[in-house]
Amino acid sequence: MHSERSRLHYTCVFLLVSFQAVRQSLPAATPSAAPCWLDAEMLKMLLRELKRCREEASPFPPVHASLDVATYHCGLLMAQCPAALDPSLCSYHLDAITQPLKQAIAELSGHHAATPGATQSGRGWRGWLKR
């Protein structure tokens, strides 16, 4: 089970870095921005890998749920790609893919995401008390 979790972790890191690289390579969202250049074949490959990763995450419900959200947004992106999205909407979808990937990585590495209502200082104290 540990090697399965480790492999899943590294696959999620690969996907996160890949989607972040795509996001960073987009032109700035300006009225005169160039049309989308994204390579649909590359995105199809990433979507296939994301789906495979989601299937392998079924023993880990929180990870599976995060990857399900990322897969959903990647599917939405693919439905309108290439060149049908403006850069801001494309960026939105890419951010909506990377955020759940970050959550999945945190869960797989044992760093569970904090609850939305927790304060920064509260998290700091809890960490300090655990030492």
Side-chain angles (χ1 to χ4, degrees):
M1 185 75 144
H2 179 68
S3 65
E4 182 179 321
R5 187 179 191 100
S6 180
R7 185 178 65 241
L8 191 58
H9 176 266
Y10 288 115
T11 302
C12 287
V13 169
F14 162 76
L15 287 167
L16 175 62
V17 170
S18 298
F19 281 111
Q20 285 176 332
V22 170
R23 170 72 173 87
Q24 291 174 354
S25 67
L26 290 177
T30 61
S32 63
C36 182
W37 61 267
L38 291 179
D39 178 8
E41 290 302 315
M42 176 191 59
L43 288 176
K44 284 181 191 175
M45 184 272 302
L46 290 172
L47 178 58
R48 276 192 310 269
E49 190 64 19
L50 189 55
K51 286 179 178 179
R52 186 187 64 74
C53 192
R54 181 187 63 189
E55 289 172 18
E56 289 179 4
S58 59
F60 312 104
V63 176
H64 186 268
S66 292
L67 294 176
D68 198 38
V69 171
T71 302
Y72 171 77
H73 280 282
C74 192
L76 287 176
L77 178 63
M78 286 298 303
Q80 301 175 1
C81 211
L85 294 174
D86 67 358
S88 63
L89 190 53
C90 189
S91 295
Y92 168 80
H93 283 300
L94 289 167
D95 290 342
I97 295 166
T98 58
Q99 191 57 39
L101 281 169
K102 288 177 185 176
Q103 292 170 347
I105 291 167
E107 185 70 35
L108 288 166
S109 65
H111 301 107
H112 305 290
T115 57
T119 63
Q120 183 66 31
S121 61
R123 286 191 301 265
W125 279 108
R126 280 192 298 275
W128 179 77
L129 291 172
K130 289 180 182 178
R131 292 183 192 167

